Amino acid sequence: MRVKIGSKIKGWTVVHAIRTRSDIDYDGVFLATREGRWMTAREHTGKSLDDGIQESGEWWYGEYFDNPETNEPYRWNQAVDAYEELAKKAGSCWSRFFHQRAREAVAEHLAALDPMGTWDLAAYWNKDGDTVAGATFLLPARKAKESLLEYMHVTPAVRDAFRTPENLRPGSDVDKAFQHVIGAKGDVRVRIGAHTFGLTHQASYGKLAFPHRPHPDWRAEV
């Protein structure tokens, strides 16, 4: 059985997966989520891309991030870090772009949880007031939300916040910030430490070709 992104295995939704051949055998890992719980899993070694999961749906072994006393953003941050370490043990699954690809996959999954269907937006990340740490051109709303979630995932502000026990709990300010962004239908602005993250329709279009859906109040920059 081949593990595919978006597929379900024993109720778990696969967020990211990779299976590669090294020397003799194939080896693979996948990252999955289920009702707020997160898991990293090692597939069985085998002779093809299709025999990492047994017919019964069993993988080799996994690590679970499901402590109910912690919030989901903390769980998926933990899971992505552990997933990278697991990939390093699985043949040639790991590469220097692995963490980035896994992070992108998580952002894509989270952005799709609450469909937007709205005007084009741009993501931005400012630190220490007005210093721009990251920004995009106007993008389709869901893509902009993915970019914003990636910004939030990589910033040291989030990792620093998670060093404080109260920020690990469900309903903490950090948890609320992530949930506010995930549920956003349009412009949004949140703050974590000295960092501000947001989506805005007041930005310009780049060279990326896609059908534009500007906000009714949007005006092209002269």
Side-chain angles (χ1 to χ4, degrees), residues 3 5 17 30 33-34 37 46 57 68-69 87 92 104 127 134 140 179 193 198:
V3 180
I5 295 175
F30 66 92
T33 184
R34 179 180 182 179
R37 304 165 62 201
E69 296 183 0
S92 57
E104 290 170 352
K127 61 181 180 180
Q179 300 307 329

Side-chain angles (χ1 to χ4, degrees), residues 1 9-10 53-59:
M1 175 181 174
I9 303 175
K10 287 187 172 292
I53 302 294
Q54 297 177 346
E55 290 300 323
S56 62
E58 298 294 333
W59 47 88

Side-chain angles (χ1 to χ4, degrees), residues 77 99-100 103 125 148-159 178 197:
N77 271 276
H99 194 278
Q100 178 184 341
R103 189 178 68 238
W125 162 24
L148 179 57
L149 287 165
E150 285 187 60
Y151 286 156
M152 295 173 73
H153 190 117
V154 301
T155 175
V158 172
R159 293 189 179 274
F178 272 99
F197 306 88

Side-chain angles (χ1 to χ4, degrees), residues 21-50:
R21 183 179 181 179
S22 57
D23 297 329
I24 300 174
D25 294 327
Y26 283 82
D27 207 338
V29 294
F30 66 92
L31 176 69
T33 184
R34 179 180 182 179
E35 298 176 350
R37 304 165 62 201
W38 287 77
M39 172 187 70
T40 62
R42 178 91 176 265
E43 298 177 20
H44 293 281
T45 55
K47 301 301 180 183
S48 75
L49 293 172
D50 301 316

Side-chain angles (χ1 to χ4, degrees), residues 115-133:
M116 300 186 73
T118 183
W119 50 83
D120 300 330
L121 297 166
Y124 65 89
W125 162 24
N126 295 340
K127 61 181 180 180
D128 301 323
D130 297 326
T131 303
V132 178

Side-chain angles (χ1 to χ4, degrees), residues 109-177:
H109 169 79
L110 296 171
L113 292 178
D114 200 339
M116 300 186 73
T118 183
W119 50 83
D120 300 330
L121 297 166
Y124 65 89
W125 162 24
N126 295 340
K127 61 181 180 180
D128 301 323
D130 297 326
T131 303
V132 178
T136 71
F137 289 108
L138 285 168
L139 299 169
R142 179 170 154 182
K143 287 296 182 184
K145 185 183 285 190
E146 289 176 19
S147 295
L148 179 57
L149 287 165
E150 285 187 60
Y151 286 156
M152 295 173 73
H153 190 117
V154 301
T155 175
V158 172
R159 293 189 179 274
D160 289 345
F162 282 145
R163 293 192 178 100
T164 306
E166 55 262 31
N167 285 326
L168 307 184
R169 300 179 184 131
S172 69
D173 289 344
V174 177
D175 185 23
K176 289 178 180 177

